[in-house]
Amino acid sequence: MTWATSNDRAEFETAAGEYLAGDPAECTYLMGTAASPPRRGRGAGFGWWRAGSGAAVGGAFICVPGRRAAVGPMPEAAARELALLWRENGPPAPLVVGPDEAVEPLVHAWRELGGGWRPARRERLFELTDLTAVAPQPPGRARLAGEPDAPLVARWFAEYTREVGEPAGGDLLEVALRRIKEGQITLWEADGEVVSLAGRSAVVSGQARVAPVYTPAGLRGHGYAGAVTFAVTEDARAAGAGQVILFTDTGNATSNAMYQRLGFRPRSGFTAGALEG
């Protein structure tokens, strides 16, 4: 049983492609990171695990220095070996995120090795079943973001990442422009003012992930988030997504209820936090 590591994205995709495609929802953080263009000066590190020589890949991670390390589903043995690998080389990133089945044994093993764990958030993965429109719909309309919206989108990206406790990393204006050009940002506009935002990923292996969904604090409570989420989900399906997923903070009862009214159903738990020491 062993981990293989590489800085070569193509090598990782060749080795772990079947593993990623086997459960796109549980591997969504991995797939999203692998599909994203590398950020300037931030090359990713990749890893994949096999139970033995010639065995299929049964676990994987992607580490973006300065931002986060995403892990996929894996057996307990793989998680314990990963803790040892990272212990020998130092914590890989400010944040580690992945499904509970991988993160919990990883953290347990890390602690046994003398390290610490600082939890950041608990998430719930939701998957769309039957999309249902918001009722009543708030005033306004949905529209795709354009290049003139990029400064606002970048500022809201920064506010969102601060709220969820995740390092922003990179040039957010550059990220906003790229996602706008790729048609991945939907805005809700009311009385000529942009009041809410929802993004989606590119469609990869038939899956799209809705993220982020953000309404500034002073504009919440009017139904804008639900309306813009419905719109961006329709857009994702029109782009070919057969599976649409999103994450919620388990402690936010309002957003959890809203997404269920839209037709998303809870699927599994994810954990994010920092490995220390």
Side-chain angles (χ1 to χ4, degrees):
M1 296 184 290
T2 185
W3 281 92
T5 61
S6 174
N7 291 320
D8 188 319
R9 182 187 305 261
E11 183 181 5
F12 172 77
E13 291 174 344
T14 298
E18 187 173 339
Y19 161 84
L20 297 174
D23 195 343
E26 298 297 318
C27 292
T28 184
Y29 277 124
L30 292 171
M31 293 175 63
T33 305
S36 298
R39 296 185 181 181
R40 196 177 297 116
R42 292 184 179 276
F46 305 93
W48 56 96
W49 180 89
R50 301 179 192 272
S53 178
V57 169
F61 74 82
I62 301 178
C63 174
V64 181
R67 191 174 177 216
R68 72 180 177 202
V71 300
M74 64 184 71
E76 181 178 348
R80 296 184 69 85
E81 287 183 22
L82 184 57
L84 182 60
L85 174 68
W86 284 351
R87 189 67 178 157
E88 291 172 348
N89 296 284
L95 193 76
V96 175
V97 61
D100 291 347
E101 69 177 80
V103 175
E104 289 175 359
L106 171 64
V107 171
H108 184 72
W110 184 263
R111 285 174 167 158
E112 287 182 343
L113 294 167
W117 170 254
R118 178 167 46 85
R121 64 180 184 271
R122 295 272 299 165
E123 298 179 325
R124 183 171 291 114
L125 174 64
F126 280 75
E127 182 176 355
L128 181 69
T129 53
D130 298 306
L131 185 60
T132 304
V134 174
Q137 181 172 293
R141 66 181 185 92
R143 67 170 175 85
L144 285 176
E147 288 191 28
D149 299 303
L152 173 67
V153 172
R155 186 170 75 249
W156 284 5
F157 279 179
E159 292 174 8
Y160 172 82
T161 55
R162 282 197 297 270
E163 284 196 15
V164 301
E166 181 167 338
D171 183 336
L172 291 182
L173 182 58
E174 180 182 306
V175 174
L177 281 167
R178 174 179 58 81
R179 295 191 65 182
I180 287 170
K181 288 176 181 177
E182 293 175 359
Q184 296 177 4
I185 303 297
T186 299
L187 305 175
W188 191 264
E189 194 173 66
D191 296 323
E193 177 187 6
V194 178
V195 294
S196 192
L197 169 155
R200 67 166 178 86
S201 69
V203 179
V204 180
S205 295
Q207 179 211 92
R209 176 158 56 94
V210 174
V213 176
Y214 182 73
T215 305
L219 295 170
R220 294 172 188 171
H222 300 285
Y224 300 141
V228 76
T229 300
F230 175 85
V232 82
T233 302
E234 279 197 314
D235 181 66
R237 297 205 306 183
Q243 181 184 60
V244 183
I245 61 172
L246 55 79
F247 285 98
T248 67
D249 181 340
T250 57
N252 189 329
T254 300
S255 64
N256 278 263
M258 176 191 76
Y259 293 128
Q260 290 184 77
R261 288 196 297 273
L262 289 172
F264 288 86
R265 297 293 175 259
R267 174 176 171 140
S268 58
F270 275 61
T271 297
L275 297 171
E276 299 178 325

